[in-house]
Amino acid sequence: MKLAFSIAKRFLLSGKGQTIMIVLGIAIGVSVQVFIGSLITGLQKSLVDKTIGSSSQVTVSTLDSTAYITNFQDQLSVIQASDNMITVASPAINQNGALVVGEQSEPVLARGFDFNLANDIYHFDEKLVSGRLPQSANEIAVGSNLLENLSLALNDEVTFQVPLVGDTTFTIVGVYDFNVKTINETWILTTLATLQTIKSISSNEVSSIEMQISDVFAAETVALNVQTALQNDNLTVDNWIANNAELLSGLQGQSTSSLMIQVFVMLSVILGIASVLAITVLQKSKQIGILKAMGIQDKDASLVFLLEGFILGIFGAALGVGFGLGLSVMFTTFAIGADGNPVVPLFIDYGFIGLSAMIAVAAATIASLIPARKSSKLSVIEVIRNA
Amino acid sequence: MKKAYYDTFIKYLDQENKDKSVEYVMSLLKSKSITLEECYLNLLSASLSNFVCKEEDEDLCIWKEHTRTSIVRTILEATYPYVIERKNAVSDKKKSVVVVCPSEEYHEIGAIIVSHYFAMNGYESLYIGANTPKNDIVSAVKVIQPDILAISVTNYYNLVVTKKITQEVKQQFPHVKIVVGGLAFHHPDSLSQIVYDKHLTSLDDIAHIEEELQ
Amino acid sequence: MLNKDVVVLSHIDKIYGENTKFPTQVLYDINLSFEDGSFNSIIGQSGSGKSTLLNILGTLDRPSNGSIEIQGIDTAKMKKNALAKLRNETIGFIFQFHYLLPEFTALENVLMPYRISKKPITKEVMDRANDLLDLVGLSKVKNNLAVNMSGGQQQRTAIARSLMNNPKIILADEPTGNLDSDTTEQIYELLRQINKTYKTTFIIITHDRHIAEKADRIIEIKDGKINLDLRQ
Ligand code: B12
Ligand SMILES: Nc1ncnc2c1ncn2[C@@H]1O[C@H](COP(=O)(O)OP(=O)(O)O)[C@@H](O)[C@H]1O
Ligand SMILES: [Mg+2]
């Protein structure tokens, strides 16, 4: 091993130009791999984030839409304990109605939250444009579009009309902007207690419990676990996947195409290394002939090339990871949108990068199997004759 | 032959004294103190073959050896009138012989002595030289048509070309008898690999060679 | 077989392309043995089969028929790895084109046969390598890369390398083939000196009569057969 290694090292050092070319070849392959990988994962993450990042991913509600979840505090703890992927579980109450200002009236959905919990799902604090979040009874926050449509202003008082229930006067304490028009036009945010009073339900009753989870693609299993833990036939557990089949298949398509790209990049790297190393065996056949005449064992002769592949792989992979990361940093620093954020946010996954590097090293080593075999088969006589 | 003759001769040779050496041997011959055979074998041959290089003056060896060879050669040539005398004294004229050294063979003293011996025994003897290429030997045999071809080889590497020469001569002129001699045939295995008719170790045998070749 | 023989070839035939339409026989029923410590030369016209014979002698090639015994061991039954080990331990090669490893220095080239044996490189071993380079007069250039040396220096390095594992036999295929006559003489003297000091058996193919005529034995190969086998 030591012998083969030192010969391999010398062979590589003696053909510096060629060695650098091979290392660069592998490095470019690996950097493309790293960059594309980071880009696609980044794209997926941001897409997922945009679509379901600020919404409930798993939701518990009652089968009967007129019923409520009772003892929600207890249920919350049961849910939290059911699956450790659940990052937040937050109670919510919904009430349809209309917001009336003088002659004008707009249909709205009043949403009651425990803002401390719900903030982890909806990130209200970031979305607040002015004022504050509701704290006490009958305080609300409205969307920027609704504010405009009804020509309202902060601290204005408005009437919330619920047919068959009656009118309530709300004070606008905050204005939010979700960047989504339908939400901005229809949602009014308030406390759980405000809606419990309007609905005349007890303070331990809510309409639903909303959740976010650490791995969004595990929503289905989490939902199942929650369902099992609740042991309540009246409750149903929904998840975002069931409702967003299109998004999911889009994401999967992207994953597959990214995998394809990476496979082909690696394949071309392997073919490249194999053919270049095959040429090196030809170039070094004289040396191998001499070594064999001096009595080197065939397995050591092939080990020389296997190690060459391995060393090239290591350096190529290291350089490639460097390139890939550099490229990614450049991309996120220079390709930025008007808001100062990168056009496409990259996701640097060190596990993935490590895996790419390892695959490259393995590929380079495997690619050198062919020349290694060739070297082992080489007959001294042929070499000495064709001097 | 008196041992003193040899000692005196060597003394002159050791001094690189050409004049004294030549005069001494020629006077011994003239006074019939030694025979021609004794001159060739016991003086000339012996002086060369016994030449030893003393360890301490190895640098001197080469030129000393060359000088000695040159003196010996001069004496050898100078004895030729005695050879003619002996040749004419032989009553029944014998056959003809060509004596030669193959290409790259520069040791010729032995060959010259052999050619003289043949003449002394009544042969029409012709020495055609040291370092003679194969084709020249073959063409000499073709033109002269001798009864015997005598080849002298000292350096054993020259047996390689000697084998070619004897093969070719035997093939083209089967009636020509080939006689070989010299230091190169020292090893017994060497002879068996070469085509020849007679290998001589003693020059006295030249006197009876005709009968032996029958 | 005499005990004194290090290599014995019996009834060696070599046919190239045996299983093709045009097989060519290059060696015919060669029987040869070499005495321990002897200095032998092989001569013959180009194409006569000298190199083929030497390669078979050195177990680099296998004969079509016949057997080679090296130090009393029949090599016919040996596997590739065993042969490699045998070469490493018992045989030193010197080729016409030096065949140094150009990526390594003179010293590293000399050490290579030892490193191939995978024994640890001790101070004694380093000393031996240095001594050998000294012997061939290359102490000054021992750290030069092989490519940065003259032809004669490369050949002397190759000679030092062939001696590294203290082999019983040294096989040389036209070792002075492309060297000038002064260098040729030096190399010859070196080989002869080694032969005398270490009692190493030498088998040398040469076109140079000055080398051949000084050997203890001259073997002439002609058309794949032994034409002459001469001893002093
Ligand atoms: C003189 C000499 C030389 C001279 C030769 C000059 C000349 N014009 O001949 C020079 C300086 C050129 C020389 C060069 C070399 N030499 Co010189 N040389 C010798 C030396 C000292 C004497 C050889 C000699 O002439 N002997 C006298 C003759 C008469 O003896 P002879 O050749 O053996 O012949 C006798 C018999 O063998 C026989 N005989 C010979 N031929 C024949 C043929 C027939 C048909 C017959 C019947 C009989 C026969 O008859 C002769 C009389 O008894 C020997 C040392 C020694 N111990 O022999 C080394 C020696 C022969 N050389 C040797 C070497 C290595 C070399 C070189 C390679 C050295 C170098 N480093 O460059 C070169 C090679 C050159 C070449 N390519 O041929 C080695 C040979 C080893 C080997 N077995 O191959 C020797 C043995 C020295 C050693 N101990 O290392 N050398
Ligand atoms: N792998 C092979 N297939 C077919 N023929 C081969 C092979 N290797 C070598 N040869 C042939 O074998 C013969 C001998 O080659 P070689 O041993 O290299 O000769 P030498 O070393 O003597 O020059 C040559 O003709 C060559 O073309
Ligand atoms: Mg060859």
Side-chain angles (χ1 to χ4, degrees):
Chain A
M1 185 77 169
K2 227 176 99 190
L3 172 72
F5 182 79
S6 75
I7 296 173
K9 195 176 98 187
R10 224 21 109 70
F11 279 3
L12 288 174
L13 285 177
S14 75
K16 283 203 189 69
Q18 198 175 36
T19 305
I20 290 172
M21 289 305 277
I22 308 180
V23 167
L24 276 180
I26 301 174
I28 289 170
V30 172
S31 65
V32 167
Q33 174 110 357
V34 166
F35 181 70
I36 300 245
S38 304
L39 189 71
I40 302 259
T41 348
L43 273 173
Q44 289 191 345
K45 292 254 182 219
S46 86
L47 192 62
V48 168
D49 213 45
K50 275 188 186 142
T51 322
I52 52 165
S54 294
S55 67
S56 173
Q57 290 155 359
V58 178
T59 312
V60 181
S61 51
T62 49
L63 266 179
D64 174 1
S65 60
T66 58
Y68 295 96
I69 301 171
T70 50
N71 288 328
F72 77 89
Q73 314 282 12
D74 298 344
Q75 308 286 26
L76 272 184
S77 27
V78 171
I79 287 169
Q80 286 283 13
S82 69
D83 196 309
N84 55 16
M85 272 203 258
I86 298 168
T87 51
V88 57
S90 152
I93 302 176
N94 298 337
Q95 179 60 59
N96 285 310
L99 215 54
V100 184
V101 180
E103 299 286 281
Q104 266 182 295
S105 152
E106 290 284 344
V108 293
L109 174 67
R111 306 220 56 201
F113 291 116
D114 172 344
F115 285 101
N116 284 332
L117 292 173
N119 196 48
D120 284 348
I121 299 179
Y122 296 99
H123 310 288
F124 295 124
D125 47 359
E126 291 166 17
K127 282 158 188 159
L128 214 54
V129 213
S130 55
R132 58 174 172 79
L133 286 174
Q135 281 164 356
S136 35
N138 298 339
E139 288 184 345
I140 58 165
V142 298
S144 51
N145 296 62
L146 188 63
L147 197 77
E148 230 169 76
N149 291 350
L150 293 175
S151 314
L152 289 166
L154 208 58
N155 299 325
D156 281 358
E157 293 200 336
V158 287
T159 310
F160 179 55
Q161 243 173 25
V162 183
L164 306 177
V165 172
D167 294 356
T168 319
T169 305
F170 286 163
T171 314
I172 300 172
V173 295
V175 181
Y176 67 83
D177 180 4
F178 261 93
N179 271 330
V180 182
K181 199 169 170 227
T182 46
I183 292 184
N184 285 352
E185 281 178 346
T186 51
W187 281 17
I188 59 173
L189 312 177
T190 183
T191 59
L192 284 177
T194 307
L195 288 185
Q196 280 161 343
T197 314
I198 292 174
K199 280 180 172 286
S200 314
I201 56 178
S202 94
S203 66
N204 59 21
E205 285 180 320
V206 291
S207 317
S208 61
I209 294 174
E210 302 181 330
M211 279 166 259
Q212 280 211 337
I213 54 181
S214 52
D215 177 5
V216 294
F217 298 103
E220 278 167 320
T221 32
V222 175
L224 223 68
N225 287 343
V226 170
Q227 180 87 64
T228 328
L230 286 172
Q231 288 182 313
N232 189 333
D233 290 344
N234 295 325
L235 298 181
T236 165
V237 186
D238 276 338
N239 69 76
W240 73 271
I241 292 175
N243 306 330
N244 290 278
E246 254 171 55
L247 173 66
L248 195 74
S249 73
L251 290 179
Q252 272 165 350
Q254 246 179 5
S255 291
T256 332
S257 61
S258 139
L259 196 70
M260 290 286 278
I261 292 172
Q262 298 184 26
V263 165
F264 280 112
V265 167
M266 264 306 130
L267 212 62
S268 69
V269 168
I270 294 178
L271 288 176
I273 299 167
S275 59
V276 178
L277 280 177
I279 295 168
T280 5
V281 173
L282 284 185
Q283 288 173 335
K284 301 291 182 198
S285 59
K286 197 180 102 186
Q287 284 85 327
I288 294 159
I290 306 166
L291 287 165
K292 285 196 174 183
M294 289 195 284
I296 200 171
Q297 305 279 324
D298 284 353
K299 70 170 194 313
D300 285 324
S302 28
L303 199 57
V304 168
F305 289 92
L306 223 55
L307 284 172
E308 275 199 36
F310 182 70
I311 296 170
L312 288 170
I314 294 267
F315 280 95
L319 198 67
V321 167
F323 278 173
L325 287 178
L327 208 62
S328 308
V329 168
M330 254 160 56
F331 195 80
T332 43
T333 339
F334 297 116
I336 44 175
D339 56 353
N341 286 326
V343 180
V344 180
L346 293 187
F347 182 76
I348 311 285
D349 177 349
Y350 291 101
F352 166 75
I353 291 173
L355 190 71
S356 306
M358 259 157 58
I359 289 174
V361 175
T365 315
I366 289 166
S368 63
L369 275 174
I370 302 160
R373 244 177 81 83
K374 237 187 178 154
S375 145
S376 160
K377 287 259 161 69
L378 204 90
S379 122
V380 193
I381 285 303
E382 298 307 317
V383 176
I384 288 166
R385 278 214 174 277
N386 307 323
Chain B
M1 193 193 82
K2 286 183 187 151
K3 191 175 175 288
Y5 298 155
Y6 178 74
D7 293 339
T8 317
F9 179 50
I10 291 296
K11 190 184 77 196
Y12 293 140
L13 284 176
D14 277 343
Q15 295 166 354
E16 272 87 37
N17 193 331
K18 185 165 182 172
D19 297 5
K20 280 263 168 63
S21 307
V22 176
E23 269 172 15
Y24 182 66
V25 176
M26 293 316 288
S27 70
L28 286 178
L29 274 174
K30 197 170 181 189
S31 63
K32 298 222 182 340
S33 308
I34 55 167
T35 64
L36 204 46
E37 283 84 352
E38 283 169 338
C39 168
Y40 290 161
L41 293 182
N42 301 342
L43 292 180
L44 302 186
S45 276
S47 74
L48 288 173
S49 303
N50 297 341
F51 180 83
V52 276
C53 185
K54 292 183 211 101
E55 291 279 322
E56 63 264 28
D57 45 30
E58 213 170 307
D59 289 350
L60 309 176
C61 276
I62 309 267
W63 68 264
K64 271 183 173 289
E65 184 193 295
H66 285 203
T67 312
R68 177 175 292 202
T69 313
S70 154
I71 297 171
V72 167
R73 202 192 155 113
T74 305
I75 299 170
L76 189 57
E77 305 293 8
T79 60
Y80 200 65
Y82 294 98
V83 174
I84 299 171
E85 206 175 277
R86 291 278 298 273
K87 184 175 159 189
N88 292 338
V90 177
S91 49
D92 55 329
K93 283 283 166 278
K94 294 210 176 122
K95 301 187 164 166
S96 62
V97 59
V98 161
V99 183
V100 75
C101 298
S103 51
E104 301 291 330
E105 184 57 74
Y106 295 96
H107 298 92
E108 59 173 348
I109 307 289
I112 297 172
I113 291 178
V114 165
S115 85
H116 285 192
Y117 252 83
F118 271 108
M120 284 149 63
N121 282 288
Y123 284 82
E124 225 28 81
S125 172
L126 205 60
Y127 171 60
I128 59 171
N131 183 25
T132 312
K134 186 186 79 186
N135 291 343
D136 296 332
I137 296 175
V138 173
S139 77
V141 172
K142 189 175 178 181
V143 173
I144 299 166
Q145 293 286 334
D147 299 297
I148 299 171
L149 173 67
I151 304 174
S152 170
V153 192
T154 303
N155 190 326
Y156 91 127
Y157 182 85
N158 294 329
L159 291 176
V160 176
V161 67
T162 303
K163 177 171 181 169
K164 293 196 185 103
I165 293 166
T166 59
Q167 264 176 347
E168 200 166 324
V169 169
K170 263 293 162 201
Q171 196 191 3
Q172 294 190 27
F173 315 102
H175 55 281
V176 176
K177 302 291 179 195
I178 296 174
V179 178
V180 295
L183 227 59
F185 298 98
H186 176 70
H187 199 282
D189 291 349
S190 303
L191 269 174
S192 62
Q193 303 178 54
I194 284 175
V195 187
Y196 68 101
D197 292 296
K198 189 75 193 156
H199 169 238
L200 292 187
T201 41
S202 161
L203 292 190
D204 294 332
D205 294 342
I206 288 177
H208 332 287
I209 195 158
E210 206 176 359
E211 299 93 79
E212 290 197 37
L213 284 174
Q214 292 310 309
Chain C
M1 186 200 87
L2 281 165
N3 265 349
K4 277 171 67 193
D5 291 333
V6 267
V7 189
V8 180
L9 300 183
S10 320
H11 304 292
I12 298 291
D13 290 331
K14 180 68 186 181
I15 302 157
Y16 284 115
E18 254 178 302
N19 303 318
T20 65
K21 268 191 182 164
F22 306 103
T24 41
Q25 182 152 5
V26 175
L27 294 177
Y28 298 84
D29 193 33
I30 303 275
N31 292 289
L32 267 180
S33 52
F34 295 93
E35 270 172 44
D36 195 3
S38 61
F39 197 94
N40 309 276
S41 66
I42 297 179
I43 62 169
Q45 280 187 349
S46 151
S48 56
K50 304 181 296 297
S51 297
T52 304
L53 179 65
L54 199 79
N55 291 335
I56 289 175
L57 258 167
T59 76
L60 297 178
D61 204 356
R62 292 214 190 248
S64 307
N65 294 304
S67 71
I68 307 121
E69 276 183 25
I70 295 178
Q71 293 193 292
I73 301 161
D74 187 355
T75 58
K77 296 171 199 105
M78 292 170 77
K79 295 256 158 56
K80 267 176 103 185
N81 280 346
L83 285 178
K85 191 166 183 305
L86 176 84
R87 281 200 297 275
N88 182 253
E89 288 168 356
T90 3
I91 306 174
F93 290 93
I94 308 169
F95 299 102
Q96 179 179 0
F97 301 103
H98 335 310
Y99 286 129
L100 296 183
L101 299 172
E103 297 84 359
F104 292 82
T105 67
L107 180 65
E108 290 168 331
N109 266 287
V110 172
L111 276 168
M112 195 52 82
Y114 192 84
R115 296 187 56 191
I116 286 173
S117 75
K118 298 205 173 155
K119 283 177 251 167
I121 303 216
T122 58
K123 194 181 164 295
E124 287 73 42
V125 173
M126 279 309 282
D127 287 349
R128 178 173 168 78
N130 279 308
D131 287 350
L132 286 171
L133 279 164
D134 226 18
L135 177 75
V136 299
L138 290 178
S139 302
K140 283 201 184 115
V141 290
K142 66 180 177 191
N143 292 320
N144 281 20
L145 279 185
V147 278
N148 297 334
M149 296 196 290
S150 73
Q153 288 176 328
Q154 291 189 33
Q155 193 57 294
R156 279 183 285 167
T157 310
I159 291 171
R161 180 182 66 188
S162 72
L163 292 168
M164 185 61 211
N165 285 357
N166 222 335
K168 284 302 293 173
I169 309 157
I170 289 195
L171 302 177
D173 195 342
E174 302 187 28
T176 56
N178 49 8
L179 299 178
D180 58 76
S181 56
D182 279 356
T183 318
T184 297
E185 187 61 31
Q186 283 173 22
I187 301 269
Y188 166 76
E189 291 301 338
L190 188 61
L191 298 181
R192 201 66 223 216
Q193 187 192 337
I194 292 158
N195 165 249
K196 293 222 170 81
T197 332
Y198 301 104
K199 300 278 171 287
T200 314
T201 309
F202 277 79
I203 303 172
I204 302 179
I205 295 179
T206 184
H207 278 307
D208 194 327
R209 72 162 284 144
H210 298 294
I211 288 192
E213 72 186 10
K214 288 172 195 151
D216 305 326
R217 183 176 173 194
I218 300 170
I219 295 161
E220 190 200 14
I221 306 290
K222 191 177 172 190
D223 303 328
K225 298 182 185 109
I226 297 171
N227 187 45
L228 275 174
D229 184 353
L230 305 168
R231 291 164 208 255
Q232 289 238 20

